[in-house]
């Protein structure tokens, strides 16, 4: 049944509640309904197209409606669409476990499935707590996280993170956590010194340390120097603290290789994956861990060692089947050098269009992840925009008329395209975005500052 756009708009405005959205603002806008998609392009209900520069919330790998992923999904749908993973298994889940172990750092050999990134983090947290209880270390119940960390919006994940703009109002309910300062792109000494102090003071009481390796995506693509991950891993091992690597954003191709942990030869105690796991098709997440941790949970049921935790749609057959094909295709793209060539072209294009842009203060890019930090310009007496005015957020709406979909937080515009993006599409994305930044700031800020956005000195 075809439903007219006015009815859809009405239903959306009367009944919906969108995530990370101030609904009062949303109700003042015309809803944007995406009807279909192909490759890197999204199409709305009125036929307009948009380049998916957000990779549909950082998930899309091989493009929308990819024929091979579609076929994998259709074949699985003909056989089994859902089956409980409690006391049961199915072929797609077993095969996916094998595929995940084959691409993971040596020593990770158990997979616990959930359905989103935050829940994969919660799983690691609960497994760590229970492990220390089962092995005679009940005092190890603290968490260590890094400044600016973001691991999701459930309470354990919020506790491990340090995203005050998202989570501060819930902080009085957080689990006990200590945070260490993040490294600078070319200097890790202060960060590691701070971590040493935290571990020396609280290491014997700490269960687990959470880290987004290489790039802190939600913080605004803050980059870590080479060797930082190894240094953190060594310190965790020395103090008998579990290391959990949250590769929900950076894993499975985003930075040009399969996994950051494998590329840097670091075996964590827990590895969390989600977002790109199914190529952007279905919700699925996994927490990988070691045989040593797994073995601590074995025993007679009466011993109380069972990990009593799970999700209804854990290892859903449709999601696991499409994930297998996604990883198979991603392996080929990496091994052929195609993904690295795309990353290289993207990096050069970002540098060319934004490094010397009049209204760009900083560019942070690694792989197919980029943050553009905006400011009023070097010729302005003003040093920054008022972050509460969310210049990048409003700019992202302006970009829709330029056929570009991006996300902006505060003064930072995030560019995270599908991994399959072509050189021509990268050119289009960068050219349109660079021009829109100039147009928007001139029109709505410099010439009409009081009618649009205020600027703080």
């Amino acid at each position: 049944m075809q439903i007219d756009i006015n009815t859809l708009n009405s239903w959306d405005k009367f009944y919906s509640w969108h995530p990370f959205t101030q609904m009062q603002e949303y109700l003042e806008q015309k809803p944007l309904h995406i009807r279909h998609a192909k490759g890197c392009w999204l199409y709305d209900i009125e036929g307009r197209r948009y380049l998916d520069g957000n990779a549909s919330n950082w998930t899309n790998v091989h493009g929308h409606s990819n024929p091979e992923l579609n076929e994998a999904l259709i074949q699985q749908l003909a056989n089994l669409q859902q089956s409980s993973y409690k006391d049961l298994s199915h072929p797609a889940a077993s095969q996916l476990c094998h595929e995940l172990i084959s691409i993971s750092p040596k020593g990770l050999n158990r997979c616990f499935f959930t359905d989103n990134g935050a829940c994969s983090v919660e799983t690691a947290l609960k497994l760590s707590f229970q492990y220390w209880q089962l092995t005679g270390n009940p005092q190890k119940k603290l968490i260590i996280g890094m400044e600016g960390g973001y691991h999701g919006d459930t309470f354990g994940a919020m506790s491990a993170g340090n995203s005050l703009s998202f989570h501060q109002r819930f902080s009085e309910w957080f689990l006990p956590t200590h945070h260490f300062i993040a490294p600078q792109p070319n200097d890790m000494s202060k960060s590691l010194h701070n971590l040493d102090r935290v571990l020396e003071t609280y290491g014997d009481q700490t269960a687990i340390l959470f880290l987004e390796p290489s790039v802190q995506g939600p913080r605004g693509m803050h980059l870590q120097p080479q060797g930082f991950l190894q240094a953190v891993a060594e310190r965790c091992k020395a103090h008998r603290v579990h290391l959990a690597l949250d590769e929900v954003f950076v894993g499975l191709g985003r930075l040009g290789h399969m996994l950051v942990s494998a590329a840097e030869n670091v075996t964590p105690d827990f590895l969390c994956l989600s977002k790109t796991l199914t190529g952007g098709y279905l919700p699925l997440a996994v927490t990988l861990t070691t045989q040593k941790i797994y073995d601590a949970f074995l025993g007679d049921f009466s011993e109380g060692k069972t990990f009593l935790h799970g999700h209804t749609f854990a290892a859903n057959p449709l999601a696991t089947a499409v994930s297998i094909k996604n990883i198979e295709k991603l392996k080929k793209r990496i091994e052929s050098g195609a993904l690295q060539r795309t990353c290289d072209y993207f990096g050069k294009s970002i540098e060319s269009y934004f490094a010397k842009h009049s209204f760009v203060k900083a560019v942070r890019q690694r792989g197919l992840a980029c943050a553009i930090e905006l400011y009023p310009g070097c010729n302005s007496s003003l040093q920054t925009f008022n972050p509460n005015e969310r210049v990048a957020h409003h700019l992202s709406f302006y970009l829709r008329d330029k056929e570009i979909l991006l996300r902006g937080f505060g003064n930072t515009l995030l560019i995270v395209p599908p991994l399959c993006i072509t050189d021509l599409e990268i050119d289009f994305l960068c050219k349109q975005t660079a021009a829109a930044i100039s147009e928007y700031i001139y029109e709505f800020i410099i010439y009409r500052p009081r009618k649009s956005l205020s600027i703080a000195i």
Side-chain angles (χ1 to χ4, degrees), residues 108-269:
L108 293 177
N109 50 21
R110 292 289 172 175
C111 302
F112 192 99
F113 290 106
T114 49
D115 54 17
N116 65 77
C119 288
S120 70
V121 168
E122 292 284 343
T123 298
L125 181 61
K126 290 177 70 175
L127 283 170
S128 179
F129 283 168
Q130 187 167 335
Y131 172 87
W132 292 120
Q133 291 173 356
L134 294 175
T135 56
N137 296 276
Q139 80 284 358
K140 294 178 79 67
K141 58 182 68 173
L142 299 181
I143 305 168
I144 294 177
M146 192 167 77
E147 171 192 21
Y150 180 91
H151 302 286
D153 303 312
T154 52
F155 273 92
M158 288 193 294
S159 301
N162 185 232
S163 299
L164 297 181
S165 58
F166 292 114
H167 303 146
Q168 188 170 19
R169 69 173 61 252
F170 302 107
S171 60
E172 64 182 285
W173 294 283
F174 287 0
L175 300 170
T177 309
H178 296 279
H179 295 93
F180 67 102
I181 63 174
Q184 297 300 311
N186 299 308
D187 180 15
M188 67 177 98
S189 58
K190 291 182 180 179
S191 175
L192 293 177
H193 177 67
N194 185 224
L195 176 57
D196 286 336
R197 292 179 60 187
V198 173
L199 286 169
E200 287 164 6
T201 305
Y202 302 106
D204 61 340
Q205 306 166 53
T206 300
I208 189 168
L209 182 151
F210 282 93
L211 180 71
E212 300 157 272
S214 189
V215 180
Q216 287 181 296
R219 188 187 180 195
M221 309 304 163
H222 280 250
L223 309 179
Q224 299 158 21
Q226 184 68 32
F228 179 72
L229 175 56
Q230 292 96 328
V232 172
E234 289 168 4
R235 284 159 170 79
C236 287
K237 185 175 181 180
H239 288 272
R240 297 179 65 241
V241 169
H242 287 150
L243 174 62
L245 296 184
D246 177 352
E247 294 206 41
V248 169
F249 171 62
V250 299
L252 298 173
R254 178 55 56 190
L255 302 187
H257 38 243
M258 191 66 77
L259 297 169
V260 173
S261 49
E264 299 199 24
N265 197 29
V266 171
T267 300
D269 299 284

Side-chain angles (χ1 to χ4, degrees), residues 38 63-76 281 322 325:
K38 184 68 177 176
H64 297 275
S65 193
N66 179 273
E68 292 176 82
L69 297 187
N70 287 357
E71 182 59 27
L73 195 57
I74 291 168
Q75 287 184 7
Q76 182 60 49
Y281 270 60
V322 76
K325 179 57 68 172

